[in-house]
Amino acid sequence: MAGEFIVTKTNHVSFQNLQAITNLQFRAWSEFLNTRSLVAYALSTPVVLCIDQLTALYTTATDTSENNIRSFSFVVPGGRTIRVTEHDFNRVLHFPTENLVPDPTTEEIHAFFTLIRSQQPNFFVGEFLKHYLRKPWNFFFHTLIHVFTAKLTNLHGIPLFLQKIGFAIANNRHINIGRLVIDQVILCMGPLDERTGMDDVLCFYPRFLQLILNDVLTDDERETFADEETMECMRMKSNAITALIRKNHFPGVPTVLTDYLRTVPIPLLPPGE
């Protein structure tokens, strides 16, 4: 590695102190996401980041996808090669693992954003924009963007893979979320020779990767990193929630829930809707 290993400020833990959210509707949506959604564990689980472990992974990992299974492999001190697959992401991050169904189609995604009353003038673009949504759905995707994307800028855009995850959560559809996430991890890594030849190596998805490392490393392998530097993972802050609460885009547009969300025993709709 030619330059510095930098852990990016991405892959946040969702906001945890629900009692600090004064808006009861936002508190309800946070409770749903953190405790009842398909991605609750991935959203809400903090972890201490072990820099040497992440460096070993990120500076040796290669794309080893085959037979329609997405995966990467990396080498730990001692020489063992570890292969991490989409199934490992599903298992470690507690995504659905059984009876998986296909990803939503483009038509289903467009119908979903129509249902939740997106006011975006042009649906036929690569990204939907969360600020065209009513406040609760804006907050919903605001949380997912901070947790699941590698975005450092343009935090309004909802990329296609996250549209699929959002659709799955809102409809309780058990798609292969691990595949969507590991795809993004591999994409952010890029080819090994390009990554290790850069002036600085940027580590994306550090929290998810650390949770994977905690699962796959043996005790002896962890011992080789015993004196390493650590840091806290990123966490969503309350000021962003406060800013969203203050905004009132499209006050005449109702908040509409999916059929599944209407069955959730948490008051996701504001009084009177």
Side-chain angles (χ1 to χ4, degrees):
M1 183 173 66
E4 184 180 358
F5 183 79
I6 299 173
V7 175
T8 61
K9 296 180 178 181
T10 59
N11 201 196
H12 294 59
V13 178
S14 59
F15 191 69
Q16 298 295 295
N17 185 6
L18 301 189
Q19 296 308 309
I21 303 176
T22 57
N23 182 291
L24 296 182
Q25 189 180 17
F26 274 42
R27 186 186 299 176
W29 282 73
S30 287
E31 180 184 351
F32 163 70
L33 285 169
N34 288 348
T35 65
R36 294 177 178 269
S37 75
L38 295 179
V39 296
Y41 183 87
L43 289 179
S44 60
T45 303
V47 67
V48 174
L49 304 179
C50 301
I51 305 306
D52 288 349
Q53 292 180 26
L54 288 168
T55 302
L57 184 157
Y58 225 83
T59 56
T60 63
T62 56
D63 183 353
T64 51
S65 304
E66 61 180 3
N67 299 325
N68 202 34
I69 301 296
R70 300 292 279 142
S71 70
F72 62 82
S73 296
F74 67 99
V75 182
V76 294
R80 185 167 75 103
T81 298
I82 300 174
R83 184 177 183 230
V84 178
T85 73
E86 61 193 61
H87 304 307
D88 294 311
F89 270 73
N90 282 329
R91 175 179 55 81
V92 173
L93 297 176
H94 296 200
F95 298 141
T97 58
E98 298 180 349
N99 302 317
L100 300 181
V101 299
D103 292 351
T105 64
T106 300
E107 292 74 20
E108 286 178 308
I109 289 174
H110 286 174
F112 168 59
F113 278 90
T114 300
L115 172 72
I116 64 175
R117 301 298 193 269
S118 171
Q119 301 300 296
Q120 187 161 325
N122 179 12
F123 275 16
F124 297 96
V125 293
E127 291 189 332
F128 284 91
L129 301 174
K130 71 181 185 68
H131 60 266
Y132 282 111
L133 298 170
R134 285 287 285 133
K135 283 198 295 186
W137 285 109
N138 187 334
F139 173 68
F140 174 89
F141 280 106
H142 176 86
T143 301
L144 298 185
I145 287 168
H146 278 78
V147 173
F148 283 103
T149 75
K151 285 172 171 278
L152 297 171
T153 59
N154 184 25
L155 297 181
H156 290 293
I158 309 168
L160 178 58
F161 87 94
L162 199 59
Q163 296 169 28
K164 294 179 179 181
I165 293 175
F167 176 98
I169 296 167
N171 293 280
N172 199 35
R173 180 180 289 189
H174 289 206
I175 66 172
N176 190 345
I177 298 175
R179 183 182 181 90
L180 295 172
V181 174
I182 197 174
D183 262 340
Q184 295 302 306
V185 172
I186 293 171
L187 178 65
C188 287
M189 284 180 176
L192 178 61
D193 56 346
E194 293 181 12
R195 188 186 332 135
T196 54
M198 297 171 63
D199 290 339
D200 294 319
V201 175
L202 303 181
C203 175
F204 294 94
Y205 294 97
R207 182 168 64 89
F208 288 170
L209 291 176
Q210 188 64 60
L211 289 168
I212 293 287
L213 284 163
N214 290 353
D215 179 80
V216 300
L217 292 180
T218 66
D219 290 341
D220 287 343
E221 287 165 345
R222 290 190 190 92
E223 281 296 315
T224 65
F225 300 106
D227 298 323
E228 71 177 308
E229 176 190 358
T230 61
M231 65 183 293
E232 294 296 318
C233 58
M234 295 297 296
R235 296 171 182 266
M236 290 183 64
K237 294 182 171 59
S238 59
N239 59 345
I241 296 176
T242 302
L244 285 173
I245 291 172
R246 288 174 178 167
K247 294 176 181 177
N248 193 25
H249 295 310
F250 319 114
V253 177
T255 301
V256 179
L257 302 181
T258 61
D259 289 344
Y260 167 68
L261 289 181
R262 285 198 292 270
T263 70
V264 174
I266 298 174
L268 298 176
L269 287 176
E273 288 194 23

